[in-house]
Amino acid sequence: MTTNGPVQSTDVSDLSFLSKPIGDLFGDLPVNPDDYSRCLLSEDQISFYKANGYLTQVRVLTDEQCNRLLDEYKKFLLWNDNNNNNNNTNTNQNLYGKNDSHRLDFPEKNLLYEYHSNQSNDPNNVVTHMLGHWRISPLFHDLIFMPTITVPVSQLLAAFHPSKQLFVPVQFWHDQLFAKPPYHGGQVAWHQDYSYWTRTEPMQHISVHIALDDQTEENGTIHYVPGSHLWHRIENGQEVPLPITDMDFSDMESIKKILTEEEMTKFQPLPSLLKRGHASFHHPLTIHGSYSNRTSSPRRAAVLNYFVEGTRSNTDEPLLHGIPKIARGEPLNSRFFPLVFDPKWM
């Protein structure tokens, strides 16, 4: 995806210097192992994830935590309910663009890895999308450390890990916000996440999609294609993800152009219908996407991406825009990829 200008900061206001919760969202990390055990997934949930490549309706936030995050969300939006609660999108032609973090009204905006007030650049199909807000917002900073999220992540990453352990140490990869305004909220085209992440290896990643509003088929809930976590291609004798077919979310069905006949037969997306405060977890090869929001309310979500400790750089370029390079083959050990869960804590 496209990126903005360089990020340069050593200021303490850059929250990446703090590799533990600040305490604003849920307090400190537990010291009692039993507090982690309360966050465990069941064997049935893990089995479903292994078979289908995703798991939905896991409660990770309270209503109060959702409300606080939604209030914080507003600082990252160039639209609001007042200028979107109408069907006349012509009045909003100039509100949306790409690579426009300079229009945000706070000095730490330069810490964002990416900011698109509208990824599609189409005022009739608006998706606000950003990366890196954990470095700016104490609430979103603490979200990445929440045991209700990181414990299930460790279990699900372990389910596909060659170590065959029940848990693995987890590092944070990066965060995302996806927001669809009322009436003209846009779509996110079908894709596999690891198609964008081959700059890291091996593939031992997971994504967590957290609904901050109730998601319905009408407002653009995330959909998953069951079993698609097994779909890949072979290049130079190696398994690789499907190619990226749409960078701007404009062509919802573009991935179908590169699917095999068998894959097309099995391409049967199911809506997650997430309730607010609930999350879905998905494998890095699971095909997913979401349709437009044409309701009178916004649809806002937070996405957290993680990988198993020991994941390495597969490039000599910066892994995220503006952060120091990590040489190809070196593990991602820096403050930008903090350890968020260690089985030793249980």
Side-chain angles (χ1 to χ4, degrees), residues 187 189-190 245 250-257 267 269 291:
Q187 61 198 12
W190 304 114
T245 60
S250 58
D251 184 355
M252 184 73 192
E253 309 296 334
S254 61
I255 200 170
K256 293 181 178 179
K257 300 173 185 176
F267 192 93
Y291 293 100

Side-chain angles (χ1 to χ4, degrees), residues 78-314:
L78 295 179
W79 50 267
N80 56 53
D81 291 349
N82 291 333
N83 66 25
N84 281 279
N85 281 337
N86 62 77
N87 287 309
N88 185 8
T89 59
N90 292 328
T91 62
N92 298 314
Q93 290 287 334
N94 298 318
L95 287 180
Y96 311 114
K98 296 175 66 175
N99 304 315
D100 50 0
S101 62
H102 61 280
R103 300 175 63 198
L104 294 170
D105 190 24
F106 51 89
E108 301 88 355
K109 60 193 176 186
N110 291 327
L111 296 178
L112 293 171
Y113 303 136
E114 295 186 30
Y115 182 81
H116 315 288
S117 62
N118 183 13
Q119 181 82 38
S120 77
N121 219 28
D122 176 357
N124 294 311
N125 291 282
V126 177
V127 179
T128 298
H129 177 218
M130 71 206 74
L131 286 73
H133 44 284
W134 77 285
R135 299 174 63 186
I136 296 171
S137 161
L139 290 176
F140 281 107
H141 172 274
D142 283 12
L143 182 64
I144 75 173
F145 296 95
M146 286 195 68
T148 54
I149 298 168
T150 60
V151 172
V153 160
S154 179
Q155 290 180 278
L156 297 176
L157 285 172
F160 284 97
H161 197 261
S163 68
K164 305 299 182 183
Q165 300 297 311
L166 296 178
F167 303 94
V168 291
V170 178
Q171 286 180 260
F172 176 63
W173 175 208
H174 67 73
D175 54 0
Q176 296 167 279
L177 292 182
F178 285 95
K180 303 182 181 190
Y183 296 115
H184 50 278
Q187 61 198 12
V188 177
W190 304 114
H191 65 284
Q192 293 177 320
D193 285 344
Y194 194 64
S195 299
Y196 298 91
W197 297 344
T198 53
R199 62 191 185 275
T200 59
E201 64 175 12
M203 185 186 71
Q204 48 186 10
H205 302 58
I206 193 171
S207 297
V208 186
H209 181 104
I210 306 166
L212 298 177
D213 300 296
D214 285 344
Q215 293 190 5
T216 66
E217 293 199 60
E218 292 73 26
N219 73 6
T221 186
I222 188 169
H223 285 63
Y224 292 107
V225 179
S228 58
H229 63 303
L230 303 177
W231 300 1
H232 59 267
R233 299 292 181 262
I234 301 295
E235 291 184 4
N236 300 319
Q238 301 291 322
E239 293 184 1
V240 298
L242 304 182
I244 298 170
T245 60
D246 188 291
M247 291 291 290
D248 300 326
F249 304 163
S250 58
D251 184 355
M252 184 73 192
E253 309 296 334
S254 61
I255 200 170
K256 293 181 178 179
K257 300 173 185 176
I258 53 92
L259 296 182
T260 66
E261 184 176 344
E262 180 181 3
E263 289 166 345
M264 278 298 300
T265 300
K266 296 179 178 179
F267 192 93
Q268 300 179 28
L270 296 177
S272 64
L273 303 175
L274 288 172
K275 298 296 183 182
R276 73 190 305 258
H278 291 68
S280 58
F281 298 74
H282 63 262
H283 186 279
L285 293 185
T286 301
I287 293 177
H288 59 287
S290 59
Y291 293 100
S292 301
N293 176 20
R294 294 295 184 257
T295 71
S296 60
S297 300
R299 193 283 249 172
R300 295 153 294 186
V303 176
L304 305 176
N305 305 295
Y306 299 93
F307 48 62
V308 179
E309 184 182 40
T311 301
R312 303 181 300 274
S313 170
N314 192 33

Side-chain angles (χ1 to χ4, degrees), residues 42 51 66 110 124 145 169 172 264 301 317 333 335 345:
S42 69
C66 285
N110 291 327
N124 294 311
F145 296 95
F172 176 63
M264 278 298 300
E317 298 299 319
N333 293 331
R335 74 174 196 267
W345 301 346

